[in-house]
Amino acid sequence: MAIVAMILGALLVLLVLWEGFETIILPRRVTRRFRITRVFYRSSWRPWTWLIYNFVPARRRETWLSYFGPLSLLLLLSLWAAVLIVGFALIHWGGSWLFYRDGGTALISDIYLSGTTFFTLGIGDVVPKTSLGRLLVVIESGMGFAFLALIISYLPALNQSFARREVSISLLDARAGSPPTASEMLRRHGHQGGAESLRELLHEWERWSAEFLEGHLSYPVLAYFRSQHDNQSWLAGLTAILDTCALIMAGVEGSCNRQAELTFAMSRHAVVDLALVFRTQPRQLSSDRLPSAKLDEICDILRRSGHKLKERAVLEQNLAELRLMYEPYVVALSRHFKVSLPPWVARENGVDNWQASFWKPPSKRHKAPEEIEERHF
């Protein structure tokens, strides 16, 4: 029994160390199927969303969903620490290397020593009595210091990557609406010199997609971090860019087609790889995101804003082929992360986030400030 406990404890310690190495230090995607981190997120995200959709009012759901990313990260780190403590305790218990001042030999005392050693408290009421026991205490103490150092370096890296991601999403607000839409993005770049501005915007999003892919493959937990406004998200921004590039490639003439192809390729690469990381099988929406009537409306909007279009039938066929290359993946990611996909056409009388304000207009003075703040975000 003692040997089994020691082997089990050693396996737990090695498993957590390898899991932490792959999650925090290794800068690439891990391909093996079984991982503690993946099991943890899959087994916690679904119950979390079920509770929210069944017990939280609709207007507060997005706020509660946004808690999951940071909270799950803290819980995961706590889980790792707990498993390490139990693993070392099992090794101590199996080896009987400790001296108990009260004469006890229970496993709970070994867990107590392991915990105080891991967090470097050094109380001293339970001490090792053999050389192997002392060596194990030193190793665990050093591991506790290293664990704390990794957390201190890991959290700022996550915050910086999140901030870089959100900057470009916020910049879409005035360029494509809130939420961003392909037709609105092209309409707002229909002015003189707009083609060059659109080319620069798509170039920036080509680079953003590459940085997004690298960052979220290294730190998948970032995908659960949600944007400041309910009508903005990394998936909505990425989908709007893909929609825009698909429209340009399908039938908008003389509008930075080559850059649209490059951005489309990089953005599609990002959504396909993210779908693979989170094991979200591609699927189609139950209703078409772009019915024929909506496409007619988009064509009217683009013509009025000065864009030249190919024949309607050619544009529709090309667009349908391009949409099949990415829509099943963004739909699957949307269902997994509980994020709404942006429409193709902006809603009538829609207000961009930059046009909104915390302070209410005079006609709504009976509203409480908290309600105005909720509406703004």
Side-chain angles (χ1 to χ4, degrees), residues 66 121 334:
S66 68
L121 297 178
S334 170

Side-chain angles (χ1 to χ4, degrees), residues 72-88:
S72 66
L73 180 60
L74 296 177
L75 290 176
L76 178 63
L77 295 174
S78 301
L79 175 64
W80 287 349
V83 174
L84 284 173
I85 290 171
V86 171
F88 277 105

Side-chain angles (χ1 to χ4, degrees), residues 11-267:
L11 288 176
L12 288 176
V13 170
L14 292 175
L15 183 62
V16 171
L17 291 179
W18 187 250
E19 191 74 23
F21 168 76
E22 289 182 334
T23 303
I24 298 178
I25 300 175
L26 185 66
R28 62 169 296 159
R29 182 173 66 89
V30 180
T31 55
R32 62 186 173 88
R33 286 188 172 272
F34 178 77
R35 293 185 62 199
I36 294 179
T37 304
R38 182 178 290 127
V39 172
F40 170 79
Y41 275 99
R42 279 196 169 275
S43 59
S44 58
W45 173 243
R46 290 174 182 174
W48 182 271
T49 56
W50 183 85
L51 288 171
I52 289 174
Y53 276 84
N54 283 276
F55 297 102
V56 176
R59 64 187 181 88
R60 301 292 297 171
R61 285 174 185 167
E62 191 65 23
T63 300
W64 281 91
L65 287 172
S66 68
Y67 293 154
F68 178 81
L71 184 60
S72 66
L73 180 60
L74 296 177
L75 290 176
L76 178 63
L77 295 174
S78 301
L79 175 64
W80 287 349
V83 174
L84 284 173
I85 290 171
V86 171
F88 277 105
L90 287 173
I91 299 174
H92 283 302
W93 182 77
S96 299
W97 294 324
L98 304 182
F99 172 73
Y100 309 91
R101 297 186 186 279
D102 58 359
T105 59
L107 177 61
I108 191 66
S109 298
D110 296 276
I111 295 176
Y112 167 73
L113 170 74
S114 181
T116 57
T117 302
F118 186 82
F119 293 111
T120 64
L121 297 178
I123 296 177
D125 51 344
V126 179
V127 295
K129 61 183 179 181
T130 66
S131 299
L132 285 176
R134 296 186 188 99
L135 176 62
L136 195 63
V137 166
V138 171
I139 292 174
E140 185 176 5
S141 179
M143 198 171 293
F145 271 116
F147 187 78
L148 180 60
L150 284 176
I151 293 176
I152 292 174
S153 61
Y154 182 56
L155 295 182
L158 282 180
N159 288 330
Q160 290 171 11
S161 184
F162 172 76
R164 287 195 302 269
R165 185 189 79 181
E166 293 300 307
V167 167
S168 293
I169 295 174
S170 297
L171 287 173
L172 275 183
D173 185 34
R175 291 170 167 81
S178 305
T181 60
S183 60
E184 193 68 10
M185 190 180 303
L186 289 171
R187 186 188 71 81
R188 296 186 185 190
H189 289 85
H191 56 83
Q192 185 176 3
E196 180 60 25
S197 299
L198 181 59
R199 189 197 67 77
E200 293 178 0
L201 176 63
L202 294 181
H203 175 68
E204 291 173 3
W205 271 83
E206 179 190 4
R207 179 169 292 277
W208 180 93
S209 298
E211 293 177 352
F212 169 85
L213 177 61
E214 292 304 315
H216 287 60
L217 288 183
S218 299
Y219 307 118
V221 65
L222 276 175
Y224 291 100
F225 282 57
R226 302 172 95 86
S227 299
Q228 299 287 353
H229 293 83
D230 292 352
N231 55 10
Q232 290 179 337
S233 69
W234 61 265
L235 185 57
L238 201 51
T239 303
I241 291 295
L242 282 164
D243 291 342
T244 303
C245 293
L247 262 178
I248 293 173
M249 295 162 62
V252 180
E253 297 179 346
S255 181
C256 56
N257 292 72
R258 178 54 182 162
Q259 184 58 58
E261 293 173 359
L262 296 173
T263 305
F264 182 88
M266 190 65 249
S267 300

